[in-house]
Amino acid sequence: MAELSAAEANSDLKTMENATEGALAYLRESAEGEMAQLNLGDLDLTTDEFILDEVDVHIQANLEDDLVKEALKAGVDLRQYSKQVEAELQRIEQASIKDYILESQNIALLHHQITACDSILERMEGMLSGFQSDLSSISSEIQTLQRQSVSMSVRLKNRQAVRSSLGQLVDELVVPGHMIATILDSPVTDQDFLDQLHELDNKINFTKELNFRETLACSDIQDVVDRLKLKAVSKIREFILQKIYSFRKPMTNYQIPQNSLLKHRFFYQFLLANERTVAREIRDEYVDTMSKIYYSYFKSYSGRLLKVQYEEVADKDDLMGVEDTAKKGFFTKPSLKSRNTIFTLGQRGAILSPAELEGPILVPHTAQRGDHRFPYETLFRSQHFALLDNSCREFLFLSDFFMVTGNAALDLFNCIMGRTLGMFLKSMSSYVSDCYDSIAIFLCIHIVLRFKSITAQRNVPALDKYWETVLELLWPRFELILEMNINSIRNTDPQKLGVLDTRPHYITRRYAEFSSAIVSINQTFPNERTNVLLGQLQVEVENFVLKMAAEFPSRRDQLIFLINNYDMMLSVLMERATDDSKEVESFQQLLLARTQEFIEEILSPPFGGMIAFVKEAEALMEKGHLERLKNDEARITQLVRGFSTTWKSSVELMSQDVMRSFTNFKNGTSIIQGALTQLIQYYHSFHKVLNQPQFRSLAVRSELINLHHLMVEVKKHKPNF
């Protein structure tokens, strides 16, 4: 079967196919003949085998046959027709038998061909069975190879894992000669020393781990590693201590050795991990050294700064309500050029600008050579900016080099800067307790608020507690000085302040300068306590102005005094404060009210009769009783002719008087314009009254001045400044 060629198989299949096709054709023809015979046999109605019930069924079925229907329609005798059919069937049967006999050789040949096909199929079946058997054996061999491959892969992975672990263990157990030579002989500043120190640190940690596991191989290198560790610790300790001792040299810029230490920050990490005693020694030495350095530096710097402070400072008598004397002139140029202003901000507020706030610190000996003097807030800014800068740098260095964070970093920082901060607070407390310069205190408060913001931006919380303590010193003192000024104004006796004068009073000028200074400073960091105290101060100043105005005998002088003082305070406030501040709005309302009253006051002497008549007539017009004035023809004639004759001279005199009365020409001009506008409005109302039916018959109406002409003439009298 295995030796059967492909050509023989194809030939056998083709022979079998041809034989099969011939046999199927012959069988198909025979089957059709037999089926035709059977169908005709069913039409034999003379058969005795049918039972009666089935006869009817067959009759009905035969009647439905097309041939029967056609025979019945044609009138054919069924019996005769049946006999013909039977004879035909016999003939066909005989012919079929002859055909079988004639085709007997073909049928025999077909039989032989079918037998050959069966033989070929049997051989093919045997061949396919062999193939199946061979494939089964190959599949089993593949499964065996697969199992062997998986087993070999697992063994390979296990060997690689063991090799890796053993290789790492061997590498860690080996101490290279290069490491020994570098640790023993190379300077600690060499990069190679730092690299080998990292490797030594890894080996130390590895030996600790092996000791914990009780690995016997660890004992082979323990002694070598320990001796290398001691040598490295000794060299690192000597290097760091030398850097720390270099801080103590005079005029040393300690930032340079600090930067050097930061480059070798791993040294302290190595000590902290392997020799905590030495690490603690180094940290304590650093803390002690830097604490003394900072304390000495800032103590010396603060002392030298005090030598360039203004020689004359405010005392308890330098209050807003204190009488101005020849000895103390607050608003005249001081006799000493180093004398600081008390109530005026001037250029002192510039210290809060970013350029000056974070500018270079003062150099005292340079200022002394130039004979320069500075207010306290300038010294405070320089001192605390130096503190801020050094503290931020120191805190970041401690966090980085000593690897501390959170409260540990704050505690370490306080160990270094604690004495210095305490010295600052003691010095400041001493100064503040005897300070009466409220602007200086307030500027210091805002310097602290800005420095506090800067430290927050730098993410350095080390000075937060110190800033709060400083503010707790400054705020109560500022409030106390402000309350002293409020009380000084409240207790002022107008009769003890010298000669009365309608010009702005020096106390109100002090208030205006001081209030504008505080408001302008307070705008950036608003504080409600400050606003409350300023409100109290403003109330007392307003009361003081009213008390001073009451000392004047005439209402006109009283109004001039009030307007001059309100205008001065408003002008000063608007230079520094915003237009929507409470102080500006309050004085604007007061100035407007007093100005309107003054305009009525100056219009009354020359034009009072006309104004009174207009007001009276308008009141009667509203009630509908204007006819009551119909009999005042003489009065009206006098008013019309008097105005026409004297209005120009009256306006001229009024303008001159107003300009003499007010120190601010701009304010005087505004008052004159307001007065002339009011005069035109009154005269316009006078026209309207005389145009009423009750007065149209008056002949004097023709003498009224034309309003347009009056307005043109009035414009000529408006002063221009």
Side-chain angles (χ1 to χ4, degrees), residues 321-337:
V322 173
E323 180 183 358
D324 197 6
T325 63
K327 182 180 178 181
K328 291 185 178 180
F330 292 98
F331 303 104
T332 59
K333 188 175 181 180
S335 58
L336 295 176
K337 61 180 179 181

Side-chain angles (χ1 to χ4, degrees), residues 240-262:
I240 296 178
L241 288 178
Q242 285 179 354
K243 292 294 182 184
I244 295 174
Y245 294 152
S246 67
F247 295 162
R248 302 175 181 179
K249 296 179 181 179
M251 306 300 293
T252 298
N253 183 0
Y254 56 85
Q255 296 177 18
I256 296 176
Q258 275 187 339
N259 292 334
S260 176
L261 287 176
L262 286 177

Side-chain angles (χ1 to χ4, degrees), residues 1-2 4-5 8-10 12-13 16 117-131:
M1 185 67 91
L4 185 63
S5 64
E8 292 175 345
N10 290 333
D12 293 339
L13 286 173
M16 181 179 67
C117 286
D118 287 342
S119 176
I120 293 170
L121 290 175
E122 183 177 358
R123 285 188 296 163
M124 290 181 65
E125 182 181 5
M127 182 175 62
L128 293 176
S129 298
F131 286 162

